[in-house]
Amino acid sequence: MEIPVNVGDDGHSHGRRTLAKRAGLLALAAVWVVSGFFLWRTSVPRLDIPHLDPRDYFDAAELSRADDYRRVSRALLLGSLVVQLVVMGLLVWKARPLADALGGIGRGRVRTGILVSIAVALALWLTTLPLGAVSLWWRRRYGLSTQAAAGWLRDQAVAVGVECLLVAAAAAVTLGLAAWLSRSWWLAAAPLFVLAGVVYFVAQPLVVQPLFNTFHPLADQRLTAEIKELGAKEGVTVDKVLVADASRRTTTANAYVSGLGPTKRVVFYDTMLDGRFTPPELESVAAHELGHVARSHIWKGLGWFALLAIPGVLLVWWFTERRGGLPDPGLVPLAIAVALVYSLLVMPFGNLVSRRYEAEADWMALTATNDPESFIRLEQRLTTTSLGDPDPPDWSNLIFGTHPTPMRRIGMAVAFRTLASPAPGGS
Ligand SMILES: [Zn+2]
């Protein structure tokens, strides 16, 4: 006869559990490193990118005006970040009374927790609103924004509405799972958040972007044909090339790719098509965006999202577990604070990856157009029209730079030119 449970067995099964847990974590870490390795690789060859002098490419008066603009805009950005962190700290500190006050309306831990999450999102939004208004005034002063206060406020209201919905959904899933599965909620939450990320990426161009802009197909037939041809060169088919009415807010020019699968599209700001950019410059822009599609950067971005979100969920779990665990609504501000601080801490790494992919899209554009001169002029014009810094300090680029610096992008075009046409007299 077998005795199912005794102390010795307990000890063994506990030991086995710890071992299994460690093995599981090790396997997860191995999957992380291998996935990261494959996502990290790009097709950009090893290049000797020259260090160029911005003064050779940009007008001194232009540079100093852009400097003046950015001195204040950077301070405003930093200020808004500090305000958010301080407010977040206060909310964590006063979490218990906040949860108690909302408990009367929520009636139940999960519902109260969702209300607390919405209160946190609203508090962060309201306290940074004044700095946002100053920033609008500053952008209007420098001619970057064309938006009146009423339109800006409407945008703010829509944005915070979307944010509240997303935060509430995340809270509902997390707290619901915690109420159901207790301590092991993170095991179900991590894959669910990754899945939600995929859904958001697919749906965002159809659901979120139309809240802010209207889109119509690119009318310029010549440019459309040129884009199709570039697509063929880069091995991608482009079904949708759209124009967004960005000029109702801004004078800055931009283009982007968004969506996944059936919602995939290349979008030009209409400010890019107002005559300031020449056709070859627009082709360089399109070739860059198609490069993102050709190299599956949105899918890879989603891969990184999964790799970074899972440790984030684990951190939220660890911090809240130490204080009694979710679904306690009084721990919701702490959970959001951990997620916020974590996202700030991984931002430099996310931007490092982004810079690699942007450099790859640039390389694809140079190869497809074989027109480094237009690429350089495009880079100059994009920088001057957005009052950007052609050569920001390293620390700033390392933390905030989503793209290679303009001087580095120009440097890549110069390196491409050198590769494409070896110096005369060479053997
Ligand atoms: Zn790009």
Side-chain angles (χ1 to χ4, degrees), residues 48 59 86 95 103 154 244 251 282 312 334 356 382:
D48 201 6
D59 179 74
V86 169
R154 178 211 159 265
T251 59
L282 293 175
L334 175 67
R356 279 181 73 79
L382 278 174

Side-chain angles (χ1 to χ4, degrees), residues 288-289 292 358 361 403 409:
H288 169 98
E289 299 309 329
H292 282 308
E358 293 298 339
H403 290 61
R409 298 178 86 174

Side-chain angles (χ1 to χ4, degrees), residues 80-319:
S80 155
L81 192 66
V82 170
V83 168
Q84 283 193 51
L85 288 174
V86 169
V87 170
M88 201 63 247
L90 287 174
L91 287 165
V92 171
W93 182 41
K94 291 290 176 196
R96 194 55 60 194
L98 177 66
D100 288 346
L102 292 171
I105 315 167
R107 295 180 191 283
R109 292 196 298 174
V110 173
R111 277 198 300 270
T112 304
I114 296 172
L115 288 179
V116 171
S117 76
I118 294 173
V120 169
L122 284 175
L124 290 176
W125 173 73
L126 261 180
T127 47
T128 48
L129 200 63
L131 280 175
V134 175
S135 167
L136 172 72
W137 166 75
W138 190 246
R139 276 180 284 128
R140 283 176 58 95
R141 198 183 142 102
Y142 275 82
L144 292 186
S145 174
T146 52
Q147 206 172 21
W152 176 78
L153 265 176
R154 178 211 159 265
D155 278 358
Q156 292 294 314
V158 175
V160 76
V162 172
E163 213 174 292
C164 283
L165 269 178
L166 292 175
V167 165
V173 167
T174 309
L175 300 173
L177 286 173
W180 180 34
L181 301 169
S182 182
R183 291 195 70 204
S184 30
W185 63 263
W186 72 271
L187 271 171
L192 265 181
F193 278 124
V194 173
L195 188 72
V198 179
V199 172
Y200 185 76
F201 268 75
V202 175
Q204 189 224 18
L206 301 183
V207 181
V208 181
Q209 285 166 7
L211 295 174
F212 297 95
N213 285 99
T214 48
F215 297 84
H216 53 265
L218 178 64
D220 184 338
Q221 293 306 318
R222 205 201 57 78
L223 185 58
T224 308
E226 205 64 60
I227 291 172
K228 293 223 152 109
E229 204 171 296
L230 285 167
K233 273 189 200 160
E234 297 185 45
V236 290
T237 43
V238 211
D239 302 323
K240 289 194 202 79
V241 181
L242 303 178
V243 180
D245 61 342
S247 57
R248 54 193 277 199
R249 295 192 184 86
T250 181
T251 59
T252 60
N254 202 359
Y256 62 87
V257 274
S258 71
L260 274 177
T263 65
K264 183 179 71 192
R265 71 236 1 246
V266 173
V267 179
F268 282 98
Y269 276 22
D270 57 355
T271 45
M272 188 126 232
L273 305 167
D274 59 8
R276 289 181 294 173
F277 294 83
T278 65
E281 289 164 22
L282 293 175
E283 283 156 31
S284 278
V285 172
H288 169 98
E289 299 309 329
L290 294 170
H292 282 308
V293 179
R295 295 291 163 196
S296 311
H297 288 162
I298 293 195
W299 278 111
K300 289 181 177 169
L302 208 53
W304 283 113
F305 170 73
L307 289 184
L308 295 174
I310 292 169
V313 171
L314 265 173
L315 272 180
V316 169
W317 173 83
W318 190 77
F319 272 96

Side-chain angles (χ1 to χ4, degrees), residues 1-17:
M1 197 186 123
E2 202 181 300
I3 301 165
V5 176
N6 63 37
V7 176
D9 273 351
D10 252 355
H12 279 301
S13 74
H14 178 74
R16 273 204 295 276
R17 264 210 305 278

